[in-house]
Amino acid sequence: MNLQANRTILLETRELTKYYYPRRGLLHTGQGSTRALEEVNLTIYLQETLGVVGESGCGKTTLGRVLLNLIKPTSGKVIFEGQDLSSLDRDALRRLRKEMQIVFQNPYSSFDPRFSMLRSLSEPLRGHTNLQGEALEQRSRQLLRQVGMPEDALFRYPHEFSGGQLQRLAIARALALNPRFIVLDEPTSALDVSVQAQIINLLRDLQRRFKLTYLFISHDLSVIQYISDRIVVMYLGKMVEMISSRSLIDGRVQHPYTLALLSAVPEVHPEDKHEHIQTQRNVPDAVRPPSGCSFHPRCPFAMAICSQEEPQLQQLREDHWSACHLNQTTS
């Protein structure tokens, strides 16, 4: 994966915001809203892998689903190859669906247990192509070969496969319509470590073969830095740091929250030392986020200004942005 070789923009967001409002009823007052995403601006380049990392509740899954228009943003835009998704009519959006696919976190719940794999893999082909009969089955067999599964898997059912095998089949289904962009929503978190490595290597191989672009979502920074070209770190719906994978490996991290995530990664080699950061308290309520920097109640480096003013993303070097008052005091 070489980001510098191709800087063509495939997808970008502008001030992307998503709030979840509580239901009104007997047990719901309707007061307050959850800020899942707040003014997210990012660019995804053709054939790169953009990693998105953060704790549960940071908005990373919401981001992936909003990018695919599976859920509507509260405000802001998602632009895919120059097209604003919010401006497309139903037919145009349906045609664009072939270009954008998703692999979900839990392979056991992403398949209908009543359907054979032939039916599951051929479902998108029935809806978006004219393939029928033998041609439909042949395409399904080809998809199985691409993900390293035997052809007799076509006539088996989800309960007959392991988690790793099901995730391979989920990837095959995502490839059915020859998409250009795939959202991978924690595709390895439910798998054993050895199986995780197999799936990651499969994804990298498929990306090279089919010139795919990925948004890879995970809470595991070690997985993210292995597969990604660039990494977006999210906290309470906001981007707090964006850094290239190489800069992260070289220890150029600036934001305390990213340092805290690094501290949680087990050290395979004792000589690979990085600064350990111990966060304080629990994650704040997304309905009532802290004033100023949302991370300041947990940050060991918090200053007076951190509770008063929200830091803005600032460019520190090429492909490295950070939202922290420490950047201003040390520059």
Side-chain angles (χ1 to χ4, degrees), residues 42-54:
L42 57 81
T43 299
I44 303 177
Y45 297 105
L46 194 65
Q47 298 178 39
E48 81 160 324
T49 297
L50 180 67
V52 180
V53 66

Side-chain angles (χ1 to χ4, degrees), residues 77-307:
K77 295 181 178 181
V78 177
I79 300 173
F80 184 83
E81 290 194 314
Q83 300 180 83
D84 180 0
L85 298 191
S86 63
S87 67
L88 299 181
D89 59 28
R90 184 175 180 179
D91 290 338
L93 190 59
R94 186 175 184 276
R95 289 193 295 271
L96 194 62
R97 289 287 183 206
K98 295 188 292 185
E99 303 287 339
M100 310 166 73
Q101 295 294 314
I102 186 170
V103 175
F104 295 101
Q105 175 179 358
N106 189 344
Y108 295 99
S109 61
S110 62
F111 288 99
D112 191 318
R114 301 168 298 173
F115 293 172
S116 68
M117 280 303 137
L118 175 59
R119 179 167 178 181
S120 291
L121 292 180
S122 62
E123 198 75 15
L125 297 169
R126 293 177 189 275
H128 291 273
T129 72
N130 296 321
L131 295 179
Q132 296 180 0
E134 182 65 24
L136 200 64
E137 183 174 324
Q138 287 302 316
R139 174 55 177 158
S140 298
R141 291 179 185 275
Q142 181 185 41
L143 291 170
L144 289 178
R145 292 194 295 270
Q146 288 173 354
V147 298
M149 290 293 292
E151 294 185 13
D152 63 4
L154 275 184
F155 307 103
R156 294 157 62 186
Y157 289 81
H159 71 272
E160 300 180 67
F161 299 99
S162 67
Q165 290 173 324
L166 279 178
Q167 203 60 295
R168 287 176 181 268
L169 293 166
I171 294 169
R173 182 174 56 186
L175 293 173
L177 299 175
N178 298 312
R180 304 180 70 193
F181 176 61
I182 301 180
V183 172
L184 301 159
D185 187 5
E186 303 207 41
T188 62
S189 63
L191 308 176
D192 293 338
V193 174
S194 60
V195 180
Q196 286 184 21
Q198 295 172 18
I199 296 299
I200 292 294
N201 289 329
L202 171 64
L203 290 170
R204 296 185 69 172
D205 177 60
L206 292 171
Q207 184 177 43
R208 287 189 293 266
R209 290 167 59 190
F210 300 115
K211 302 185 185 329
L212 299 170
T213 303
Y214 292 151
L215 181 82
F216 194 100
I217 297 168
S218 180
H219 63 274
D220 189 335
L221 194 51
S222 62
V223 172
I224 284 285
Q225 78 176 40
Y226 176 73
I227 193 172
S228 303
D229 296 291
R230 294 182 299 137
I231 299 165
V232 168
V233 182
M234 295 191 65
Y235 187 77
L236 286 184
K238 299 179 181 180
M239 292 171 52
V240 297
E241 189 158 20
M242 182 169 64
I243 185 171
S244 69
S245 181
R246 172 50 56 190
S247 292
L248 187 146
I249 293 171
D250 291 343
R252 296 181 181 177
V253 171
Q254 294 292 324
H255 201 282
Y257 179 59
T258 312
L259 289 171
L261 293 177
L262 275 174
S263 298
V265 177
E267 294 180 353
V268 178
H269 303 290
E271 65 274 12
D272 294 342
K273 296 294 182 182
H274 50 252
E275 186 176 0
H276 286 263
I277 302 296
Q278 183 65 44
T279 57
Q280 305 168 17
R281 305 182 186 178
N282 296 321
V283 180
D285 186 355
V287 176
R288 301 176 184 84
S291 60
C293 174
S294 56
F295 186 61
H296 87 262
R298 306 174 67 197
C299 180
F301 308 116
M303 304 173 291
I305 192 176
C306 298
S307 62

